[in-house]
Amino acid sequence: MTAAEPVIVIGAGASGLAAADALSRRGLPVVVLEKEAHVAGPWRHRHQRLSLNTHRAFSSLPGLPYPPGTPAFPSREQVIAYLERYVGERGLTVEFGFEVAGIERDGTGWTLRSTDRRQRHAGHVVFATGHDKVPWTPDWPGAAGFPGRIVHAADFGRREDYAGRRVLVVGAGNSGFDVLNHLSDGTAEKIWLSVRQGPSLLPKRIGHVAVHRFAGFMDILPTAVTDLAIAATQRAVLGDLRRFGVPKAPHGGATRLRDEQIAIPVDDGAVAAMRAGKIGIVAPLARFDGDRAILADGGALDADVVIAATGYRTGLETLLGGLGVLDEATGRPLASGGQPTGQKGLWFTGMKPTIMGHFHSATVEGRALAAAIAAENKGVGGT
């Protein structure tokens, strides 16, 4: 058996790179394993119009700001370029083309096995593969016989692909409103939004001011107070969405973020399109009957395209399902950052959304993780 490496991080996204940087700053040798041939794999696989909903001030990693002239909400291409630059300027070691197919305990450490049967050994393994790794689409009855397109929001593609189409968007969460914001210019012939639970929605901007600028202040408030602040902002800027048929959110936005890990969606044109009658609100999608989408209230729609904005899974169950480190219902890790998982040397980072955004939480969790691993490896690195 080859010698064990001190730390292996799996995943070369923002969380994996932030963790590797924090570990290396403590003098702990670390290598990042990435199944793709490049960093920022999830960003490369999402649609081209995607951009951050978090302000650039909270969307960089330690030691490297965005270049001058970067817009308030960096685009997909700008995020990819930033992460590529981060690896080089921070001197991180990333090994591409290693897709983990198995992990098992080997004495005091772990053995990782790739899909092509290579093996790596490490004292500590950090999973930074993300809470939104695998797009999830419900198995709607009759979907196989639907002659139109059923596509997940992650594969939205180009706005022009929906020109003249009748589009049903299923889900009023973060990805659902991302889709609606892109389609709100009237490209599609007709748009329906199928809603099961109403959202706690924030505008992307108030005038020329980015609302996410206030995230740092909202993050330190008690959850109940943040719920009230979000609800008040939504009502004052966007109005009462119930007048369009959107049901009231079952809980406050900050509460759902904390308890259900449901990110707060952002409006950037969708509500104006509702106001103009371009987006109709309908009941939850129940099934398909030939070329018709059947709703829970018995209504039927003749949609050409159904976009499933129905969330993501971690995809970790097949690797880690028997170790007691995942929530059985959701597949999400029970602990993240520097929190112990109950399995010595096994860690997670970047596995839940926060009000500050993914990049900020990647930095915070990366530092906590590095401190925890350094504490278990006294004498290996610095302070």
Side-chain angles (χ1 to χ4, degrees), residues 31-36 93-98 118 120:
V31 62
V32 180
L33 300 182
E34 169 56 52
K35 71 174 184 177
E36 306 280 358
T93 300
V94 182
E95 181 179 319
F96 298 105
F98 192 105
R118 287 178 290 163
R120 301 290 286 269

Side-chain angles (χ1 to χ4, degrees), residues 6-30:
V7 188
I8 287 178
V9 175
I10 302 172
S15 291
L17 299 182
D21 183 72
L23 287 159
S24 65
R25 300 298 150 183
R26 286 181 170 268
L28 290 164
V30 55

Side-chain angles (χ1 to χ4, degrees), residues 95-163:
E95 181 179 319
F96 298 105
F98 192 105
E99 182 175 1
V100 177
I103 179 172
E104 59 186 23
R105 174 80 67 184
D106 62 21
T108 59
W110 298 90
T111 292
L112 298 173
R113 177 174 40 83
S114 72
T115 51
D116 58 3
R117 298 187 178 181
R118 287 178 290 163
Q119 289 189 350
R120 301 290 286 269
H121 309 281
H124 296 270
V125 174
V126 180
F127 277 86
T129 47
H131 59 84
D132 55 356
K133 180 182 178 182
V134 182
W136 179 78
T137 301
D139 186 17
W140 288 298
F146 178 63
R149 290 177 59 212
I150 300 176
V151 59
H152 194 275
D155 302 314
F156 174 76
R158 303 178 307 151
R159 181 168 53 190
E160 294 77 13
D161 295 338
Y162 302 89

Side-chain angles (χ1 to χ4, degrees), residues 24-340:
S24 65
R25 300 298 150 183
R26 286 181 170 268
L28 290 164
V30 55
V31 62
V32 180
L33 300 182
E34 169 56 52
K35 71 174 184 177
E36 306 280 358
H38 33 59
V39 302
W43 279 89
R44 296 175 191 270
H45 292 300
R46 301 291 162 79
H47 64 84
Q48 294 182 352
R49 298 186 62 86
L50 186 66
S51 65
L52 285 172
N53 280 333
T54 55
H55 195 275
R56 65 172 180 268
F58 303 118
S59 302
S60 61
L61 299 178
L64 186 65
Y66 278 91
T70 301
F73 300 99
S75 69
R76 169 183 174 270
E77 289 75 18
Q78 288 166 327
V79 172
I80 292 171
Y82 173 82
L83 292 176
E84 288 178 334
R85 182 178 163 216
Y86 193 81
V87 171
E89 296 210 9
R90 300 296 281 180
L92 303 180
T93 300
V94 182
E95 181 179 319
F96 298 105
F98 192 105
E99 182 175 1
V100 177
I103 179 172
E104 59 186 23
R105 174 80 67 184
D106 62 21
T108 59
W110 298 90
T111 292
L112 298 173
R113 177 174 40 83
S114 72
T115 51
D116 58 3
R117 298 187 178 181
R118 287 178 290 163
Q119 289 189 350
R120 301 290 286 269
H121 309 281
H124 296 270
V125 174
V126 180
F127 277 86
T129 47
H131 59 84
D132 55 356
K133 180 182 178 182
V134 182
W136 179 78
T137 301
D139 186 17
W140 288 298
F146 178 63
R149 290 177 59 212
I150 300 176
V151 59
H152 194 275
D155 302 314
F156 174 76
R158 303 178 307 151
R159 181 168 53 190
E160 294 77 13
D161 295 338
Y162 302 89
R165 302 288 185 177
R166 294 165 296 177
V167 181
L168 173 62
V169 179
V170 182
N174 190 45
S175 57
F177 268 87
D178 176 63
V179 167
L180 294 173
N181 291 333
H182 293 317
L183 293 177
S184 62
D185 67 342
T187 298
E189 176 186 322
K190 178 64 180 176
I191 306 170
W192 299 281
L193 172 61
S194 173
V195 183
R196 182 173 61 88
Q197 294 183 336
S200 292
L201 187 66
L202 283 173
K204 197 160 191 172
R205 297 178 180 85
I206 299 177
H208 297 292
V209 179
V211 171
H212 194 252
R213 279 280 199 179
F214 303 101
F217 173 69
M218 296 176 73
D219 189 49
I220 64 175
L221 294 174
T223 300
V225 177
T226 306
D227 283 342
L228 292 173
I230 293 171
T233 303
Q234 175 180 315
R235 183 102 181 194
V237 180
L238 303 175
D240 187 351
L241 300 184
R242 288 178 295 182
R243 71 184 188 276
F244 306 124
V246 179
K248 183 180 178 181
H251 305 287
T255 295
R256 299 186 78 186
L257 185 66
R258 181 196 65 193
D259 297 345
E260 303 174 59
Q261 298 183 22
I262 295 176
I264 299 169
V266 173
D267 172 67
D268 193 21
V271 172
M274 291 179 194
R275 194 176 295 118
K278 297 178 181 178
I279 299 174
I281 309 301
V282 298
L285 174 61
R287 59 186 176 88
F288 291 92
D289 182 5
D291 61 355
R292 299 186 305 162
I294 308 301
L295 306 176
D297 62 1
L301 301 174
D302 294 321
D304 301 310
V305 183
V306 175
I307 302 177
T310 45
Y312 299 83
R313 297 294 187 268
T314 64
L316 292 172
E317 294 92 334
T318 56
L319 287 175
L320 305 171
L323 296 178
V325 296
L326 305 178
D327 181 275
E328 292 185 2
T330 65
R332 300 184 188 124
L334 297 171
S336 191
Q339 299 173 333

